[in-house]
Amino acid sequence: MLREAHTNAFKTLAVSGFNAVEIPCGSGRWEPLGRKDWIEKFYGSVDALRTEMTNCGINAVSSYYFNPAEPIFEEGAYGLSVLNPADHGRILGTLRQYADLLPALGGDTLVVRALPNWNDKTTVDVATMQVAADCWNAVGAMLSPAGVRLALNFDCLTMARSEHDITLLVDLCDPATVGLSLDTADAAIMGLDPVAMINRFAARLIHVQLKNALERDTLDEYKLAFPDKFMLAGGGARRIARWYCELEHEGGIVDVSSCHRALVAQGFSGWIVVESDQSPVPATSAMLNGWFVKNELEAISGITLAEV
């Protein structure tokens, strides 16, 4: 991706009404803003990237998102797991850079995929969740002195399928350094109620990915082999072309305004990141979401929003 593409994206988000952005950690030239070494290759320094963003109207990188299972070519890692104690040191080493990178870019939250995909050989129990908690507690303790918060995110393919499952892991993590990130669309796809989730986990919620969804996984296709490919990208047995949609989409199954009202009622003070996954025209989705934020959600509250 060329720097010009970054500039165009930043400007599109700014004119859509957003002033911050969440970035995936990523690897290589496919995600050149996802690591400090690649930022320096593209921009010369992290400060130079911050200047370019500011010139385009983007004030901060609100958060980074990390999935341990994705390959990290620079480190020779081709899939790590928090359920494997032998991987914990490598995960900790990979994430150490964000203690410096996030504050330098105006952000303060590292969002991590809390658990791997479901599989029939691993159960959600206290012993298993303790292994994951040991890793995330170590990461949270490492990031905390730099003012960076760790937020555990549970997507629609995760092995944690209920509020009870999520509670098991969250309760084993240090509340002083580890919080929860809620994805409203993924919760709905799993059959959970995002508003109930906001109220249930209010004390631990520090980050929200606010987005809408079009369908629920009523066939339990999260159990498929490679569900990200065959369910989310391939549409599953129902040939669903797009699971996610814009905030105000008439077919959306998430009551976005009620989610926002619940956040306001709970006194939420973290980042709300507006997402547009699987958009066929990302710029259009950003503008539509920006309109909804300005004309609907800002009437509820002035909470800062970012856009992926």
Side-chain angles (χ1 to χ4, degrees):
M1 183 180 288
L2 301 176
R3 284 183 56 173
E4 180 183 358
H6 300 163
T7 299
N8 290 340
F10 293 148
K11 288 181 177 179
T12 298
L13 295 179
V15 299
S16 299
F18 300 101
N19 62 8
V21 62
E22 182 174 282
I23 296 177
C25 292
S27 180
R29 65 182 184 273
W30 300 276
E31 295 290 354
L33 302 183
R35 290 174 54 92
K36 185 174 183 289
D37 49 5
W38 278 92
I39 291 173
E40 291 172 343
K41 288 178 183 179
F42 266 71
Y43 288 90
S45 69
V46 174
D47 287 342
L49 170 60
R50 181 77 183 273
T51 298
E52 176 67 15
M53 292 168 53
T54 300
N55 290 340
C56 295
I58 300 297
N59 298 332
V61 172
S62 62
S63 37
Y64 270 95
Y65 173 81
F66 174 72
N67 179 359
E70 292 183 353
I72 308 169
F73 298 110
E74 296 83 358
E75 301 173 16
Y78 302 100
L80 303 174
S81 173
V82 294
L83 300 185
N84 180 7
D87 287 344
H88 288 186
R90 299 189 72 179
I91 292 172
L92 195 69
T94 294
L95 298 180
R96 186 168 285 111
Q97 63 183 293
Y98 298 98
D100 297 323
L101 188 55
L102 270 162
L105 293 173
D108 60 10
T109 306
L110 178 64
V111 183
V112 295
R113 189 173 194 238
L115 293 167
N117 287 0
W118 177 92
N119 71 76
D120 59 4
K121 297 180 176 62
T122 308
T123 58
V124 178
D125 55 32
V126 173
T128 302
M129 293 302 97
Q130 186 63 64
V131 175
D134 288 344
C135 181
W136 295 135
N137 280 329
V139 174
M142 174 190 67
L143 297 174
S144 182
V148 175
R149 304 177 297 175
L150 184 69
L152 306 183
N153 185 271
F154 299 83
D155 61 35
C156 66
L157 305 179
T158 181
M159 61 186 290
R161 308 303 305 174
S162 66
E163 288 188 17
H164 174 266
D165 291 349
I166 294 170
T167 299
L168 274 181
L169 177 55
V170 171
D171 282 355
L172 289 170
C173 292
D174 184 354
T177 59
V178 182
L180 175 68
S181 167
L182 173 65
D183 184 312
T184 57
D186 280 74
I189 291 171
M190 282 196 286
L192 302 176
D193 179 351
V195 174
M197 294 279 287
I198 290 168
N199 293 326
R200 165 67 179 81
F201 293 102
R204 300 298 296 272
L205 191 62
I206 63 173
H207 176 275
V208 174
Q209 292 174 336
L210 187 67
K211 60 188 183 189
N212 212 335
L214 292 167
E215 298 285 350
R216 290 182 175 84
D217 178 19
T218 56
L219 303 181
D220 289 344
E221 291 186 305
Y222 68 89
K223 295 182 178 180
L224 292 171
F226 307 107
D228 51 337
K229 177 179 180 181
F230 294 108
M231 175 187 152
L232 291 183
R238 291 178 288 167
R239 298 292 188 269
I240 294 169
R242 188 182 176 199
W243 289 85
Y244 304 98
C245 60
E246 290 69 44
L247 297 181
E248 200 180 18
H249 195 290
E250 62 181 9
I253 61 174
V254 176
D255 187 338
V256 176
S257 294
S258 290
C259 287
H260 197 63
R261 288 189 181 91
L263 291 169
V264 173
Q266 293 292 350
F268 178 77
S269 60
W271 287 101
I272 301 176
V273 179
V274 178
E275 294 201 358
S276 300
D277 287 3
Q278 296 183 321
S279 172
V281 188
T284 299
S285 294
M287 292 178 184
L288 289 171
N289 284 336
W291 185 94
F292 184 77
V293 167
K294 181 176 178 58
N295 291 277
E296 298 292 336
L297 300 188
E298 284 188 1
I300 300 171
S301 158
I303 293 177
T304 302
L305 294 166
E307 170 77 9
V308 171

